[in-house]
Amino acid sequence: MMRWLSPWLSPRARWRLVERDAALLARAPIRAQKIRRSLGAELPHADAYVSSALVDLVGVAWLRKLLRAARGKPLLMGLAVDGRHEIAPPHRDDAALFAAFARHQRRFKGLGAALGGAAPFVLARLCARAGYRVELAASDWHLPSGELLEATLDGIATAACEADPSLDLADWRRVRKQQLAAGKLTLTVGHRDLFAVRRRRRPICRPD
Ligand SMILES: C[S@@+](CC[C@H](N)C(=O)[O-])C[C@H]1O[C@@H](n2cnc3c(N)ncnc32)[C@H](O)[C@@H]1O
């Protein structure tokens, strides 16, 4: 986010970064001492708030806290899952698998019961109620057959079985492995980017 937004921001812009994963911090191209470890404490006031792949991990109370801290400042919350999974070709166990995975995504992740695929829509509603103009745009992952898809499906299946230990995915795993090897499997994971700015009470300049 920092690198991507930099062309639009003043070079003097100051960032406050937050990430709690020590393994990620060790690989960050920024000295880890500059990064706060927790989003749980009071959120600082800032001119804008941005995140990537975060808001689906938090609960509604944390989103309200974010909006209170933001006090009308712009928000750019990227890459929140929106609950869609399109996998081709289909398999009879897809629906049960993705339903169990969705339940896993809504577990407690440290900042309340996570909203999972509802997150971008809940945040959009809260922003609208707080007087923001909100834009939601699709930013889906499109995964062709390959190692990333294999790892993603493995993660989804493992999480789904944790959420529903009665799931029997033996056939699903066997068929998916064959399709991956043949390069015949694709997955789209629905994501949304949310951008919210406060509506101006009066236009800056009136048309003649
Ligand atoms: C899905 S990952 C996204 C990582 C990165 N922002 C990206 O887009 O690739 C979510 C990140 O949020 C971090 N995170 C989750 N809860 C947090 C918390 N309470 N405080 C700080 N970081 C947290 C996790 O450690 C994880 O790295």
Side-chain angles (χ1 to χ4, degrees):
M1 271 293 190
M2 196 172 153
R3 194 178 300 156
W4 186 72
L5 283 172
S6 61
W8 290 283
L9 299 177
S10 156
R12 295 204 311 277
R14 286 178 48 232
W15 286 79
R16 290 178 193 227
L17 308 172
V18 189
E19 171 55 63
R20 71 171 173 196
D21 184 328
L24 279 183
L25 294 181
R27 299 172 60 183
I30 299 161
R31 275 183 300 130
Q33 303 91 292
K34 291 199 172 174
I35 303 181
R36 291 174 63 212
R37 292 295 173 94
S38 175
L39 287 162
E42 272 316 293
L43 288 166
H45 296 301
D47 295 321
Y49 295 77
V50 307
S51 73
S52 166
L54 178 79
V55 292
D56 47 50
L57 300 175
V58 310
V60 68
W62 192 87
L63 292 181
R64 289 205 174 98
K65 183 169 156 177
L66 170 69
L67 287 178
R68 278 197 301 276
R71 296 194 294 195
K73 293 292 169 56
L75 307 173
L76 177 59
M77 301 287 144
L79 272 185
V81 293
D82 68 5
R84 283 175 302 126
H85 291 96
E86 289 155 23
I87 188 161
H91 183 283
R92 63 168 188 267
D93 295 333
D94 290 340
L97 167 85
F98 288 119
F101 179 60
R103 285 203 294 285
H104 193 279
Q105 284 183 313
R106 292 194 300 268
R107 286 181 172 187
F108 182 84
K109 307 266 166 67
L111 294 169
L115 286 160
F121 311 108
V122 171
L123 180 56
R125 224 171 24 244
L126 292 177
C127 287
R129 265 192 229 143
Y132 280 90
R133 181 172 64 76
V134 184
E135 285 182 32
L136 275 178
S139 58
D140 298 347
W141 292 357
H142 298 288
L143 300 176
S145 291
E147 278 178 38
L148 185 57
L149 178 54
E150 188 175 358
T152 302
L153 287 178
D154 193 44
I156 290 175
T158 303
C161 290
E162 270 176 44
D164 180 357
S166 71
L167 269 184
D168 176 4
L169 293 180
D171 186 68
W172 187 90
R173 284 189 187 273
R174 185 184 55 76
V175 172
R176 292 318 194 190
K177 198 172 173 185
Q178 284 170 357
Q179 290 166 338
L180 274 167
K184 290 196 171 141
L185 189 62
T186 60
L187 173 69
T188 296
V189 186
H191 284 79
R192 304 287 167 114
D193 291 346
L194 177 144
F195 177 57
V197 280
R198 203 63 174 270
R199 287 191 208 105
R200 290 189 185 281
R201 291 207 172 80
R202 283 176 290 128
I204 294 173
C205 52
R206 292 177 185 282
D208 293 333

